[in-house]
Amino acid sequence: MQTWYDWTPVFRMMLLGLLIAAGPLLWVWLRRRGAGTVQRLQALSVLTLFLTFDLVLFGAFTRLTDSGLGCPDWPGCYGAASPLGAHADIAAAQAAMPTGPVTFSKAWIEMIHRYLATAVGALILVMAVVSLIERRRDRTIPLLWPWLSLLWVCVQGAFGAWTVTMKLFPAIVTLHLLGGLTLLALLRVQAVRFGQADGLLRQALQMGPRWRPWLWALLGLVVLQVALGGWVSTNYAVLACRDFPTCQGQWWPPMDFARGFELWRPLGELRSGEALPFAALTAIHYTHRLMAYLVLAALLGMGWALRRAGLGRQARWLWALAAWQLVTGLSNVVLEWPLLAAVAHTGGAAALVVVLTGWLAVAHPQAARQGTVARPAGTPWQERRA
């Protein structure tokens, strides 16, 4: 009887993910042999956050090396669990199109990205299950964030599959990028909550709840800018402007915003089937550049406010990340999109999301009840070091 779907590659990918995840799990267990469950979960959360950050960077590397279709099916590679098992199919595709989307190097890049993603998913599953089991014994163990992370990593996996099956559809690829940053944010909050449950953050100087509206506003600007940056990258619009501060030698070059931001369409085409005009690519690039000015001003302003409030360390973090994004963003334009600068630019955006999300978590009113230091009454702009 004919089967509806061959589940063999799925099970093999899951097994590979578990094998890769066994390394971080063993490392945490050995490093925290005498620690309690909460301490182990907190350590595993931090390690998973680090690995997810690496995964986001490797995802950017996969996209920027045009390896997103290195294996044109999902989750395996031509039905195999690795490019080794798909050697004949990859060789045939590479012989037909030597510079096409399917080559041996691109297939390995794509599959390594999937292996890492599966391992991260396995780690998140372990944390969710252990949290549920241990919650019966220790009521301080949070359940919401581990299970939200598990739910979201499943959603993110679906977007990863659609990225391949829908042939790098720009809207799907951009949402996949935003989903990766959302997973980073969830894991960052999870690490903070486990740390608070174990009392690890009680000695640290933290922000008060009155900073939250400003942090939310700044995070919103950053996320919007990341979405615009993802739209630039997925539409290959980085080189639409190769000079700075002007674009094509003009302060306001010819732009087609309506077609540039026609969201639901294939790569390089309009819904009508016409090729995406260059003026549309220019509009995509220039919108991201204009938004960058606003985000840069907001980061500098927030850093100045933090410094005046006696939070100099946090201010330096913001200023350093703002400088990083400025340098890497300019490098992408004037050096014509070098791979290192492009990946570093994605890393800076991810770091901003992690930093701002962590501050929002410790600035929550719950943090004050659990012993973290809250600031005196007054607006954030009037706070000073005690």
Side-chain angles (χ1 to χ4, degrees):
M1 185 177 71
Q2 183 178 5
T3 58
W4 288 100
Y5 184 78
D6 183 8
W7 290 96
T8 304
V10 177
F11 294 135
R12 288 177 178 173
M13 287 290 294
M14 292 174 62
L15 179 60
L16 282 170
L18 288 172
L19 289 174
I20 297 171
L25 288 171
L26 181 62
W27 187 83
V28 169
W29 183 81
L30 291 175
R31 293 273 296 182
R32 303 278 177 169
R33 276 176 292 187
T37 302
V38 180
Q39 288 181 325
R40 288 183 177 181
L41 286 171
Q42 200 273 339
L44 187 57
S45 294
V46 173
L47 182 57
T48 306
L49 174 63
F50 172 76
L51 294 175
T52 305
F53 187 90
D54 294 338
L55 177 62
V56 170
L57 292 185
F58 200 83
F61 178 78
T62 302
R63 182 177 69 256
L64 293 164
T65 55
D66 295 324
S67 302
L69 296 178
C71 289
D73 55 334
W74 190 92
C77 189
Y78 289 99
S82 81
L84 293 176
H87 186 276
D89 295 292
I90 297 173
Q94 185 170 335
M97 294 182 64
T99 59
V102 179
T103 65
F104 283 104
S105 61
K106 292 178 180 179
W108 274 111
I109 291 172
E110 170 65 6
M111 290 308 296
I112 289 173
H113 178 60
R114 295 183 195 180
Y115 297 152
L116 293 175
T118 307
V120 165
L123 292 173
I124 292 173
L125 175 62
V126 168
M127 287 188 289
V129 171
V130 172
S131 298
L132 181 62
I133 294 172
E134 293 296 322
R135 173 81 173 191
R136 301 173 184 176
R137 183 183 58 82
D138 186 350
R139 302 299 296 178
T140 66
I141 295 178
L143 278 183
L144 174 63
W145 297 103
W147 282 90
L148 272 180
S149 299
L150 179 61
L151 174 64
W152 191 257
V153 82
C154 294
V155 173
Q156 182 68 350
F159 274 105
W162 293 331
T163 296
V164 177
T165 58
M166 295 182 70
K167 308 303 179 187
L168 305 183
F169 209 79
I172 296 297
V173 177
T174 302
L175 288 173
H176 192 45
L177 170 64
L178 292 174
L181 297 186
T182 301
L183 183 59
L184 278 176
L186 290 171
L187 290 170
R188 181 69 181 102
V189 176
Q190 178 177 311
V192 169
R193 292 291 174 256
F194 279 129
Q196 289 171 338
D198 193 46
L200 294 178
L201 302 181
R202 294 183 180 179
Q203 299 82 10
L205 179 65
Q206 307 293 353
M207 295 181 176
R210 294 182 181 274
W211 284 96
R212 285 176 63 80
W214 306 100
L215 291 172
W216 273 117
L218 184 57
L219 180 60
L221 286 175
V222 169
V223 171
L224 177 58
Q225 178 66 346
V226 170
L228 290 172
W231 194 242
V232 171
S233 178
T234 56
N235 284 282
Y236 298 91
V238 175
L239 299 181
C241 298
R242 301 191 181 197
D243 51 331
F244 183 85
T246 58
C247 175
Q248 302 166 17
Q250 304 175 62
W251 288 105
W252 195 260
M255 291 180 280
D256 188 341
F257 290 95
R259 294 182 178 182
F261 290 93
E262 186 178 282
L263 300 181
W264 200 253
R265 54 171 177 75
L267 177 62
E269 298 179 7
L270 299 170
R271 278 196 296 264
S272 62
E274 302 174 71
L276 193 66
F278 188 72
L281 296 176
T282 304
I284 294 171
H285 179 113
Y286 211 64
T287 301
H288 179 61
R289 184 183 292 191
L290 292 175
M291 185 66 183
Y293 299 144
L294 177 60
V295 174
L296 181 62
L299 290 171
L300 295 177
M302 187 70 168
W304 176 81
L306 289 169
R307 187 174 181 274
R308 286 187 50 129
L311 298 172
R313 181 171 175 269
Q314 287 86 341
R316 289 190 293 273
W317 265 106
L318 274 192
W319 288 338
L321 288 172
W324 180 271
Q325 289 303 86
L326 177 62
V327 171
T328 55
L330 285 177
S331 298
N332 282 326
V333 174
V334 300
L335 299 179
E336 299 191 353
W337 209 14
L339 179 60
L340 180 61
V343 174
H345 198 55
T346 300
L352 275 170
V353 170
V354 170
V355 167
L356 292 174
T357 305
W359 291 350
L360 275 166
V362 297
H364 194 278
Q366 176 186 349
R369 293 196 299 271
Q370 291 180 328
T372 52
V373 178
R375 287 294 167 202
T379 66
W381 314 96
Q382 297 170 331
E383 293 180 10
R384 299 291 186 273
R385 186 187 296 272

